[in-house]
Amino acid sequence: MRCSLLCFSRAVALLLCGLLSHAAHAIDIEVSSPPQEIDDLQMKIGVRALQLPEGGWTFVAKRQDHTSDDRGMNKATHPQTYTAYAMNVDDNGMRAGVVLKLPLDSHRTSRWVDEPCEVKAPFYKDDFQSSYGQSECLLIFKRKTHLTSSNDVFYGQAKEWLREKRVENPGPVYEIQYFRFATNEYGWVRIFVPQRLAVSESAVLDFAKK
């Protein structure tokens, strides 16, 4: 039976508050290579781990770079940063995707270079009155497609995994983004939910605000 977004939201509501300070059995993104199943429902980057909701999750894509602050872009002296994609699929296709990005270590800075909150025309935006350079925001986009581009190396890994599993691309999705930048930390979480699972746009908005 296909689960609606409201049903799914109960399981994912703890995602953003599920960044644990310690997770002994979480899959370690730094040393692990996709694809592999996430048996304990936790993805670990550095000392933090993200608790995933119940479901058949697979680690399907990985990227490594460096933090970017106001002193320079992607210098090797800055902490390494990892991005990981976890996907939940069933016989009906993709049910959800979660992308987590975190640095391995703290890095004190007065301002970060990345400003993902400076976007135009999202379906929804709340910047929590945060300051430039240390921003915080919740964004929602209505995407016509997901995992169809062949030019993106990171998302291309997830696309290839779907192809190997003979799972169709999810089609139109809601992309929910949360970004938080502080003086010595930052993190991104993106949640992709196929629009076919949504009860309504207001349900998507309520889900994101949780």
Side-chain angles (χ1 to χ4, degrees):
M1 180 175 66
R2 190 175 68 185
C3 183
S4 69
L5 180 63
L6 288 178
C7 173
F8 180 74
S9 70
R10 297 189 186 100
V12 187
L14 294 179
L15 266 174
L16 297 182
C17 59
L19 284 172
L20 310 176
S21 61
H22 176 72
H25 303 292
I27 184 172
D28 191 336
I29 300 303
E30 179 186 6
V31 298
S32 300
S33 298
Q36 58 180 290
E37 294 182 2
I38 308 176
D39 296 327
D40 59 2
L41 303 179
Q42 294 182 32
M43 292 192 296
K44 175 180 178 291
I45 300 177
V47 298
R48 295 176 176 81
L50 185 68
Q51 179 70 49
L52 295 166
E54 293 296 325
W57 293 91
T58 303
F59 169 38
V60 297
K62 173 181 176 179
R63 178 171 58 208
Q64 187 270 322
D65 52 22
H66 290 83
T67 57
S68 302
D69 65 6
D70 59 345
R71 298 179 182 178
M73 291 287 289
N74 296 329
K75 290 185 178 180
T77 55
H78 293 173
Q80 293 183 7
T81 298
Y82 286 91
T83 308
Y85 194 136
M87 188 180 295
N88 184 4
V89 301
D90 60 18
D91 293 338
N92 294 320
M94 173 180 162
R95 297 190 65 233
V98 175
V99 175
L100 172 66
K101 180 177 181 178
L102 290 170
L104 284 179
D105 305 297
S106 296
H107 176 71
R108 188 168 185 83
T109 183
S110 60
R111 185 179 69 81
W112 300 98
V113 168
D114 295 319
E115 281 293 339
C117 300
E118 297 296 314
V119 296
K120 297 180 180 179
F123 170 64
Y124 175 83
K125 177 180 179 178
D126 186 350
D127 63 8
F128 306 104
Q129 298 182 331
S130 56
S131 60
Y132 183 82
Q134 293 186 7
S135 53
E136 176 183 13
C137 60
L138 173 65
L139 304 169
I140 305 175
F141 295 90
K142 294 176 64 176
R143 307 294 194 190
K144 294 181 179 179
T145 61
H146 182 49
L147 302 179
T148 58
S149 173
S150 59
N151 299 323
D152 189 289
V153 175
F154 175 71
Y155 288 100
Q157 298 172 62
K159 177 183 177 182
E160 178 62 18
W161 183 80
L162 283 180
R163 187 192 66 81
E164 292 178 355
K165 292 294 183 180
R166 298 182 179 179
V167 176
E168 293 185 359
N169 290 85
V173 298
Y174 289 101
E175 180 181 352
I176 301 168
Q177 304 178 357
Y178 176 74
F179 303 94
R180 179 71 175 95
F181 292 77
T183 54
N184 61 344
E185 302 283 358
Y186 75 89
W188 300 8
V189 176
R190 284 182 165 95
I191 302 173
F192 297 94
V193 179
Q195 292 184 21
R196 62 183 172 82
L197 297 180
V199 175
S200 64
E201 290 186 349
S202 60
V204 174
L205 182 56
D206 291 342
F207 161 63
K209 289 181 177 180
K210 292 180 180 180

